[in-house]
Amino acid sequence: MGITYSKKTDAKWQNNWESTGLYKFYPESKKQKLYLLEMFSYPSGAKLHLGHWWNFGLSDIWGRMKRMQGYNVFHPMGFDAFGLPAENYALQTGVHPKISTETNIVTMEKQLRTIGATYDWDYEIKTCEPEYYKWTQWIFLQLYKRGLAYRKEAPVNWCPDCNTVLANEQVINGSCERCSSKVEQKELTQWFFKITDYAEELLEGLNTLNWPAKTKAIQRNWIGRSCGTDVKFSIEGFDTMIEVYTTRVETLMGVTYLVLAPEHPLVNIITTPQQKTAVEEYQQRTAFLTEIDRTSLTKEKTGEFTGAFCIHPISGEKLPVWISDYVLGSYGTGAVMAVPAHDERDYGFAIKYQLPVLEVIKSMDETYTTLLPFTDKGVLINSGVYNGLGSEAAKAVIAEKLIAINKGSNKINYRLRDWLVSRQRYWGAPIPIIYCEKCGIVPVPENELPVELPFDVDFVPGGKSPLARHEEFMHTTCPCCKGPGVRETDTLDTFVCSSWYYLRYIDPHNVQHPWDMRKMKQLMSVDKYIGGIEHAAMHLLYARFIYKALRDLGYTQGDEPFLNLVHQGIILGSDGQKMSKSKGNTISPDEYIEQYGADVFRTYLAFGFSYLEGGPWSDSGIKAVKSFFDKMNRIFERYLETANSDKGESEPALDTIRHRTIKAVTEDVEKFQFNTAIARLMEFRNAIAEYQMKDGRNTVFELDILRDYVRLLAPFAPHYSEEIWEMLGNETSIFDSSWPKYKEDKLTSNTVEIVIQINSKNRCRIQIETDVTEEKMKNIALKREEIVKEIYNKTILKTIYIKGKLINFVVR
Ligand code: ANZ
Ligand code: ZN
């Protein structure tokens, strides 16, 4: 009986799964829940591409194994449907974002089914639908009520091409992450979420998470906890003080000047009349620079003297006060004490403006000739009573002294900034706020949500939100005084939509509440979250913050949304570059599916690349995987041909391989090491085939071994495995059967491989019990076909048997 596998098999089983509801999630099930989540997909116009198969097809392998292991797997899918690409596409083509997005979603839903992934589509969500963004707006209002959403004028990153502000996280090396235009700085009134209130908890919580170390490091770095001291310097001729923030207070005696950020509020007060023009010009010149430009280490330092002097808190010395853009207004106190001998930036600045450089730390290592700036720890010199102290000790002693004389305090700063959530674009969730001349900022009452995004909008961006040109949307009545009001016309950053979608999946059709608390408690947290590492500093931090904020409002339980995180690697173009349409190096999976079927393609992806590392695309191994399928066909065909014959002897060696394979595949899939798992299955297949062909005839086979084989294969090749499973006489889905279990005592074999030689030449090998007697060994060997034909008509002169290794027949 011939077995064929093709895309027809795929369709047969996809239809079968759909009609039997195989992937329906049953919340009432008594089995242990397991929430498997892949990051949202973005409904782009393109057909399903390689990345989708890679992300969604392969994580499905893990999910299927878990299902067979007896978990009640919750595996939803949906669409992150708001955002700039659809809006920019609309600007190019005139197709309304709502229409293009909806069309794309329909195509993608259809295509995602062809991957054969186990989604329960009843739980699908789309963030651009009012049923969803009603609750995005609701979350905004909850945060607003608790003071966690606020509005302020602030210098923001402005992308001149996208015509919108960007969060710090969306600026990559000074450029817009979407369009790569150079980002500018602008003063604007914007909405922020107070993520900084959670800085410490977001940092601490990382210790509890089973996430890749690199990702935790990125988050730690982004949160940027810094432990230091605020130090006060009085200003000559003024009552106020300049407060600086330093992490190196032990260098206090080496301060030779102070630097304020150009936008520091004291600048205009203390600048002398002679320096006024120069200082103001400098302020104007630096106003549009972004933080990235300003903090660049390679950029030449610039600055101006204010004409003012301050007094060193311990030595009482007079120090000049300068301004420079390398000091940021938004970090620490916006002012630094410059120690040019021990800080790179201060050193560059001091050399350029010929300011004194005073060395106060020298290396512990006597043989070391100090090159300035010397930024390591060491021993204090030129520091009066502190001379001879080590850096660490001096830090404590000097800080104590400053505290005692009321000139200092210990301080913790974070690099993390509040999350800027307003965008001046059309295709997003409207911010549910009304401005009233009389009442000020008025939140839209919850029972009036959603604030619907109007359809008929001229969405050409012009610096203001396109919604500001929609009279009907804009003008409304104030919920407080019933007088005239104007709506907020900015929309929410799409990262707000994606910061809570995993909660809505749990209860996507609830019209009363964002989710049912009982269901939430039953399903949260996400047990395995899969997505790209590019989300390390944005989505993954935002979602953790929102989850914690909602917990404090009583809407979630537990402290973290995603306990386990896996980053898939990236499949690059065959040129080693990131795949992109503009580079013309994208790969379409369609031809491969057409030619080989979904399972060969899935298995090839899983086998040909490391899921966690990715790599450049090549299809050179796909034929080998196809032939692996052909070879698998043969072992099943042979079995089916002999299924009704009597059973042969069982083979302990094969049983050992079986149990070893079960163990290895289970462990590898658990770790997302799919490629090695498949290599094991290939070895197992070879062992089965060898056994079947032993003695040159079909050995009647134990069904048990084949059943285990197909079940181990099933997560990788779900359609093919269902087909085989059915042929083996099963009436229910293979995915309703259980995952094979190995027996510890079967892992070590009590068999050895013996080489059979004739006149010292290897002829064949056999597996045999370790304690086989020479007599039995000889009998078995002489019955092997390879040997029979060699000694036919010859005389055996001698037999040499080396226990556990070989048997050699000397013949003539
Ligand atoms: C004196 C000093 C001496 C410093 C020395 C460094 C080395 P982190 O770790 O990032 O917190 N600094 C403080 N506020 C700043 C601002 N608004 N803009 C730019 N730089 C600022 O770094 C803290 C250090 O960065 C502080 O310690 C300060 O320089 C500088 F040998 O103070 B230090
Ligand atoms: Zn009002």
Side-chain angles (χ1 to χ4, degrees), residues 634-653:
R634 287 211 279 284
I635 60 172
F636 298 121
E637 283 162 2
R638 279 194 204 116
Y639 168 76
L640 293 168
E641 282 160 17
T642 58
N644 296 323
S645 331
D646 292 339
K647 271 192 179 178
E649 279 174 63
S650 77
E651 180 88 344

Side-chain angles (χ1 to χ4, degrees), residues 436-440 442 478-484:
C436 166
E437 295 240 318
K438 273 216 290 235
C439 316
V442 185
C478 167
C480 269
C481 69
K482 309 295 170 212

